[in-house]
């Protein structure tokens, strides 16, 4: 394996890529969650964290934004620890839906089985399958994993949580469909409520890059030194990300960039170069699939410059 460029070269790459693409036009903030519509659209950040814990960053890296769907990665990591990847595959799935992240049609076509833990239905099923005796324990275990897989400081935003809990009617409908089909493993409103909370924690772009670097480093957080998940669960987790991490754009993303990734409607996006590094980008305007327009471009450019495509 070719080694990475020097630290100064990596920093220059991050600076130049950020400069070139942080104001790329196109896309719009998510608006179905009122809070997200109010986030300034011109924010942008780009961060690389290597598998040895070196950090290279540019832009609004200290700005805290809603983790949203990227929370699904931490919950899936925890669930794989609880029940093992094969049970996740059997009860939730490992296939792309080819449809939007909150699609009811995707459920209807498959007897209300979610297919992927990285769409809303599968994420609520994942929450419901975690080992927990109470809603509070379910939530605390998720928050704890979010902290361990990033940099330890994440908190719930009451403002975002309120904004989501009072508007998440579509997700509640999905949770009931899952429950009716035997694919929700706790009270469906508990699954939806805890899932909504897990989407409402605040992260920085650097937190997301540490999460990506932890997956690049076989589950050992390179900043804290903690093994946060079993090394053998990383490959199936990355496979799930390849299939559905950018929703109905995942195939194109694999084709163009060739790295497992995960996006959130808060504008965050991360990608994993196994054994090498994690990259994260943030910028609120989204394309039609719900993926950050500038984030995709910045990560694609870094991946190309460093020749990171795993299929090459
Ligand atoms: N909280 C959002 C939702 O459930 C997360 C979706 C996303 O980031 N794609 O709709």
């Amino acid at each position: 394996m070719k080694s990475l460029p020097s630290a100064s070269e990596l920093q220059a790459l991050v600076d130049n890529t950020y400069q070139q693409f942080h104001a790329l036009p196109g896309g719009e903030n998510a608006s179905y969650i009122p809070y997200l519509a109010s986030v300034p659209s011109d924010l942008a950040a780009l961060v690389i964290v290597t598998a040895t814990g070196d950090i290279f960053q540019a832009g609004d890296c200290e700005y805290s934004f809603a983790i949203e769907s990227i929370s699904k990665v931490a919950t899936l990591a925890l669930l794989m620890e609880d029940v093992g990847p094969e049970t996740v595959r059997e009860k939730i799935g490992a296939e792309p839906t080819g449809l939007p992240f909150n699609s009811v049609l995707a459920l209807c076509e498959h007897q209300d089985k979610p297919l992927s833990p990285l769409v809303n239905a599968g994420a609520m099923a994942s929450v419901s399958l975690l080992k927990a005796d109470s809603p509070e324990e379910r939530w605390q275990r998720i928050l704890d994993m979010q902290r361990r897989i990033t940099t330890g400081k994440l908190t719930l935003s009451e403002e975002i949580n309120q904004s989501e809990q009072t508007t998440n009617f579509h997700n509640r409908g999905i949770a009931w469909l899952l429950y009716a089909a035997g694919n929700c493993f706790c009270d469906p409103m508990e699954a939806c409520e805890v899932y909504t909370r897990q989407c409402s924690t605040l992260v920085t772009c650097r937190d997301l890059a540490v999460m990506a670097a932890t997956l690049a480093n076989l589950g050992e957080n390179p900043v804290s030194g903690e093994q946060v998940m079993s090394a053998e669960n990383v490959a199936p987790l990355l496979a799930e990300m390849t299939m559905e991490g950018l929703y109905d754009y995942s195939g194109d993303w694999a084709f163009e960039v060739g790295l497992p990734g995960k996006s959130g409607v808060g504008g965050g996006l991360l990608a994993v170069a196994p054994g090498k590094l994690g990259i994260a980008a943030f910028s609120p305007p989204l394309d039609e699939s719900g993926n950050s327009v500038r984030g995709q471009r910045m990560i694609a450019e870094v991946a190309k410059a460093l020749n990171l495509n795993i299929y090459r």
Side-chain angles (χ1 to χ4, degrees), residues 28-261:
E28 281 178 23
N29 285 34
S31 57
Y32 73 100
I33 298 169
Y35 174 89
L36 298 179
S38 71
V39 177
S41 303
D42 58 353
L43 290 165
L46 176 63
V47 183
I48 288 178
V49 176
T50 66
T52 50
D54 295 319
I55 301 177
F56 305 95
Q57 57 189 40
D60 303 302
C61 327
E62 308 299 330
Y63 184 87
S64 293
F65 54 93
I67 189 170
E68 298 300 341
S69 267
I70 302 172
S71 65
K72 290 164 178 155
V73 174
T75 299
L76 179 55
L78 185 60
L79 183 62
M80 284 187 174
E81 295 301 301
D82 274 8
V83 302
E86 275 308 328
T87 300
V88 173
R89 182 187 190 186
E90 176 206 328
K91 291 194 184 298
I92 299 170
E95 292 293 334
T97 67
L99 287 163
F101 58 80
N102 59 358
S103 175
V104 174
L105 191 59
L107 279 175
C108 295
E109 280 183 355
H110 300 95
Q111 293 79 47
D112 289 335
K113 190 176 172 195
L115 295 196
S116 167
L118 299 180
V119 294
N120 290 7
M124 287 189 277
S126 300
V127 166
S128 78
L129 195 53
L130 288 172
K131 290 185 182 148
D133 291 328
S134 67
E136 196 49 32
E137 185 186 1
R138 203 175 293 285
W139 158 240
Q140 285 300 333
R141 290 196 66 217
I142 291 171
L143 180 61
D144 180 58
M145 179 50 112
Q146 287 191 6
R147 288 176 171 162
R148 288 163 55 214
I149 206 167
T150 58
T151 40
K153 297 186 203 85
L154 302 204
T155 53
L156 178 74
S157 160
E158 294 297 346
E159 187 186 0
I160 299 169
N161 189 40
Q162 176 74 8
S163 185
E164 299 212 22
Q165 299 285 1
T166 53
T167 54
N168 64 356
F169 310 114
H170 190 93
N171 283 343
R172 290 187 220 176
I174 290 174
W176 279 116
L177 286 176
L178 290 174
Y179 187 71
N183 291 326
C184 185
F185 310 98
C186 74
D187 175 85
M189 291 303 92
E190 176 183 336
C192 185
E193 201 269 337
V194 174
Y195 161 75
T196 305
R197 261 195 264 180
Q198 81 171 30
C199 292
S200 305
T201 53
L202 288 167
V203 282
T204 64
C205 192
R206 193 172 50 233
D207 289 323
L208 296 183
V210 173
M211 187 191 293
T214 301
L215 298 175
N217 193 34
L218 284 178
E220 184 189 313
N221 184 321
V223 175
S224 70
E226 189 195 353
Q227 187 76 38
V228 302
M229 64 182 291
S230 322
E232 62 268 26
N233 288 350
V234 171
L237 178 47
L238 295 180
E240 297 272 18
M241 287 167 63
T242 301
M243 290 298 133
E244 192 63 63
L246 279 83
Y247 311 115
D248 49 339
Y249 198 73
S250 301
D252 283 291
W253 177 257
F255 191 98
E256 288 169 17
V257 180
L259 293 179

Side-chain angles (χ1 to χ4, degrees), residues 256-271:
E256 288 169 17
V257 180
L259 293 179
K262 185 73 202 85
S263 66
V265 290
L269 176 64
L270 59 77

